[in-house]
Amino acid sequence: EAGVTQFPSHSVIEKGQTVTLRCDPISGHDNLYWYRRVMGKEIKFLLHFVKESKQDESGMPNNRFLAERTGGTYSTLKVQPAELEDSGVYFCASRPQGSGNSPLHFGNGTRLTVT
Amino acid sequence: GQNIDQPTEMTATEGAIVQINCTYQTSGFNGLFWYQQHAGEAPTFLSYNVLDGLEEKGRFSSFLSRSKGYSYLLLKELQMKDSASYLCAVRDQTGANNLFFGTGTRLTVIP
């Protein structure tokens, strides 16, 4: 089965610009998560979708971040306008619904650099 | 808040055994995961513990003590390809069972 795929793998943008990250979860996985790792820090939770609904967005840093999952398939994470502190690696992960203790399957991440 | 601690770096010799420790303080507990991450790649699942004791899976084993808030990952017969970061992550019981990660332990295996 295809894994979690993320696009782009790298993005370099200037402060104030907009960037949209995309995540395609494993087919059939209802749960989709976004995480972020800032340089030197731990991977931190951003938000969680169950199908197209936001289950928990308590980790979103501020209203410059907008995540969507229309149709409950792929998800996008838009940062507008980007700030320097948004630089980091953004990971997407998925797992099946009702899967109890099944682990998250992660994508390779998108490395975002804001200059 | 959630607090998960693990050593930043470790070095071990090929063929040896290494133990990576993880201590945690979380508001809830619904399992502890270990992930392996090679540079530039996705974290990949290694092991899961929710009850006290040792879980063995080939060369890798993971131990959990819930009363002590402690886990370790044991890697036996180290190979050069085991050089990677090892992430300890705790799933809480609030909200949607999200994972809280430690900063990871960068393991370097030397010949």
Side-chain angles (χ1 to χ4, degrees):
Chain A
E1 90 188 330
V4 177
T5 57
Q6 294 186 242
F7 181 83
S9 57
H10 293 82
S11 180
V12 180
I13 61 172
E14 293 182 353
K15 176 183 173 181
Q17 291 185 320
T18 298
V19 63
T20 300
L21 315 180
R22 172 169 171 144
C23 168
D24 286 79
I26 293 173
S27 178
H29 282 196
D30 290 338
N31 291 281
L32 186 150
Y33 302 78
W34 283 99
Y35 285 82
R36 175 175 74 170
R37 184 169 199 166
V38 173
M39 179 73 74
K41 302 286 188 179
E42 70 274 22
I43 297 173
K44 279 192 172 180
F45 166 78
L46 295 178
L47 88 158
H48 170 214
F49 284 98
V50 176
K51 297 185 180 179
E52 67 276 8
S53 300
K54 291 177 185 174
Q55 183 77 9
D56 182 354
E57 52 184 329
S58 61
M60 295 287 262
N62 50 61
N63 59 10
R64 294 185 294 103
F65 290 75
L66 175 64
E68 294 180 323
R69 193 183 182 195
T70 307
T73 54
Y74 71 91
S75 174
T76 57
L77 179 64
K78 182 162 71 173
V79 185
Q80 178 183 29
E83 298 288 346
L84 297 178
E85 64 264 25
D86 300 334
S87 295
V89 181
Y90 290 76
F91 290 102
C92 177
S94 72
R95 70 182 184 99
Q97 178 68 342
S99 54
N101 301 323
S102 66
L104 298 184
H105 298 265
F106 283 86
N108 286 342
T110 294
R111 181 176 295 277
L112 174 65
T113 303
V114 183
T115 63
Chain B
Q2 322 291 357
N3 189 40
I4 299 165
D5 288 317
Q6 48 182 135
T8 304
E9 293 189 17
M10 298 183 72
T11 301
T13 305
E14 189 177 14
I17 299 173
V18 70
Q19 178 174 313
I20 303 174
N21 296 324
C22 172
T23 58
Y24 63 90
Q25 293 174 308
T26 54
S27 56
F29 182 81
N30 192 24
L32 186 145
F33 294 80
W34 283 96
Y35 282 83
Q36 180 192 62
Q37 185 180 21
H38 287 97
E41 297 182 9
T44 54
F45 169 74
L46 289 178
S47 69
Y48 170 73
N49 295 71
V50 67
L51 299 177
D52 292 349
L54 188 68
E55 294 284 339
E56 297 187 78
K57 190 185 292 186
R59 293 190 298 115
F60 294 0
S61 303
S62 57
F63 171 83
L64 175 68
S65 169
R66 288 171 296 170
S67 63
K68 295 181 179 178
Y70 168 68
S71 173
Y72 67 72
L73 179 69
L74 193 71
L75 291 76
K76 303 176 186 176
E77 302 169 15
L78 279 174
Q79 301 175 9
M80 299 300 291
K81 67 177 182 179
D82 296 330
S83 293
S85 287
Y86 291 85
L87 307 173
C88 173
V90 173
R91 186 161 65 190
D92 71 354
Q93 287 181 313
T94 61
N97 287 334
N98 302 313
L99 290 184
F100 295 91
F101 283 86
T103 53
T105 298
R106 185 187 303 274
L107 174 66
T108 301
V109 180
I110 58 177

